[in-house]
Amino acid sequence: MSLIEAIRSALSAIGANALRSALTMLGIIIGVAAVIAMVAIGSGARERVDSQIKSLGANLAIIQAGNVTQGGVRLGAGASSTLTDEDARAVAAEVEDVVASASVITTRAQAVYAGTNWSTTITATDLDFFAAREWGLAEGRLFEPEELRRGEIVAIIGQTVAKNLFGDSDPLGQMFRIRNVPFKVIGVMAGKGQSALGQDQDDVIFVPLDTGRRRIVGRNYARDRSVQTIMVKFASEAAINPGIEQTRALLRQRHRLMEDQEDDFIVRNLTEIANTATAAASTLSWLLAAVAGVSLLVGGIGIMNIMLVSVTERTREIGLRLAVGARQRDVLSQFLIEATTLATIGGAVGIALGIGAATAIARFAGWPFVISPQTILIAVGVSGLIGVFFGFYPARQAARLDPIEALRRE
Amino acid sequence: MPLIEVRDLSRVYDLDSGRVTALGGVSLDIEAGELVAVMGPSGSGKSTFMNLVGCLDRPTGGHYRLDGAAVETLSGDGLAELRNRKLGFVFQQFNLLPRVDACANVELPMVYAGLDGKTRRERALNALARVGLAERAHHRPMQLSGGQQQRVAIARALVNQPRLLLADEPTGALDSRTALEILALFQDLNREGVTVVLVTHDAEVARHARRVVRFRDGHVIADIRQEPADARAALAVHDSAAPMPEAAE
Ligand SMILES: Nc1ncnc2c1ncn2[C@@H]1O[C@H](COP(=O)(O)OP(=O)(O)OP(=O)(O)O)[C@@H](O)[C@H]1O
Ligand SMILES: [Mg+2]
């Protein structure tokens, strides 16, 4: 008997008890659905983190001014301006494996162009910023070193600002005003899309660090060299944590902190933060894995049970098959194929259900999901294997029947 | 060389409640082309004998050669092949698969002979035509009368062209007229060269065999040859005596 014929006759045996078969498959269906949803959501979350890290720039750490304790009261990050752009340069020069170290001051301000207003984020920074964020231009150019040194009033704008302030006309070379200071557009950044937190990263205007300090933020910053944050990019992921330790030591020394004094800055590993964002998704994944494991086990036992029942019910049939010349292995493979077919159908239904569940969860929780052909192949394979594993014992019982006793059985 | 050569064949069951000797040393030869009826009271070992001859069971003593082959030496798969190629079984309870049609039932032995679907179908339809059921090929057992079901079972037993047809009370579940039809079929097949051994309680059935072997307590107590009655002639008489057979029964 060819395999296709064997499967066809297995299908007719399964169909003869459609309801019973369907109930038996339930465990496998739920198990496989959970596996599919788990993998889809897990890999979706992974993919999102990867794309976040990519959009943020890989191997980043961020140093924020603050965390100063005054009279026992801890002030939050940014509470005081202890970081300077000299710190940033020192980090670049002295910490190992630093690729870029950018000074950043951020504020919000209104940009005005020919009667159009647009409230946006102003980021005053240096060239290292663009290297750290791995962010390129759509058109125009970046700041010249000379422009940065002299604090010239030039600006590079993000896509959203370009669209809202200049509409369809070309912004390059145009003049616009921030706090009454006229800026000249020298470049437009490439589009970057939303950040991990859903912010529009293209809604930004970049100006040279000193220009921002003096012309936009105001005197406070203009007098000193302070910056809000320093963004440090390392050469590799492995270099981040040792680099952060070196940075801390360097900054403590530069800030002349005593042994018993706390840091007056905070260093964060951004890649790590992005990774922890998947914690929730991975918790759900583990939950689904547990459900999947238990259901597959229960489903397997269900198949074993129903196959044992089937062998008992069809004892005379087995006797007859043996009498007309079936060998033990023919009977064994008949029942194994039946169990495997049952499990595989369950698996197929489970895959459909799992894709549905993943779509629903993804939509509800706002997670992306990814279903690869491999996942589906593995799910089909696993359910088939469950059929073989749990079908083997009943099939062997069938094959070992004595033909005479089997024929005599009622 | 006889087709069946049985020497001192025995079958003893070891039960908790003691030993049961179902067959206690039977010696018998059956030549190719014979039509033999096996008779005897209930529990005399007829079925036990048939099961041993049919290679469904293994003896606890003695020797058995089927068509020259020593059956005791064969493995399980060897016995399966023998059942498949050389033997055809007909049972009292027909034993058809309920879920598939007559044709598929007849195909079953050929499935295990490894024939392809087309050949199987062709031969199954031929076998069904031979037992007079060509038009019922696609009916399920449930949709057939008892006699028709038994004829499907006979078609199934014949389809691999066996040397030997073994029938354990093939007419036991049928009325007398249908039994005559089945006997006529056996006589036709026997004339065509198939060796037939059938077990029966019914002396009327045994009359149609050329040889009658009687069992008692696991032994052969009589082995007689006779001039067999012709089942076809009996059928004709039966039908003329009762012009409306359906109503008469
Ligand atoms: N599996 C078994 N276990 C124990 N004893 C058995 C078994 N099969 C048959 N016997 C015994 O063997 C003896 C012969 O049984 P067998 O079935 O051959 O009789 P039979 O002549 O076919 O009877 P019947 O005409 O009622 O069918 C009986 O006494 C029976 O109880
Ligand atoms: Mg019997």
Side-chain angles (χ1 to χ4, degrees), chain B residues 42-43 45-48 92 168-169 199 201:
Chain B
S42 189
K46 307 182 294 293
S47 295
T48 304
Q92 181 175 0
D168 197 345
E169 301 189 39
V199 171
H201 274 120

Side-chain angles (χ1 to χ4, degrees), chain B residues 203-223:
Chain B
E204 191 54 38
V205 170
R207 276 198 328 118
H208 297 85
R210 187 174 296 277
R211 180 178 173 191
V212 178
V213 177
R214 282 185 188 277
F215 278 73
R216 179 174 292 163
D217 297 335
H219 294 277
V220 175
I221 53 159
D223 187 349

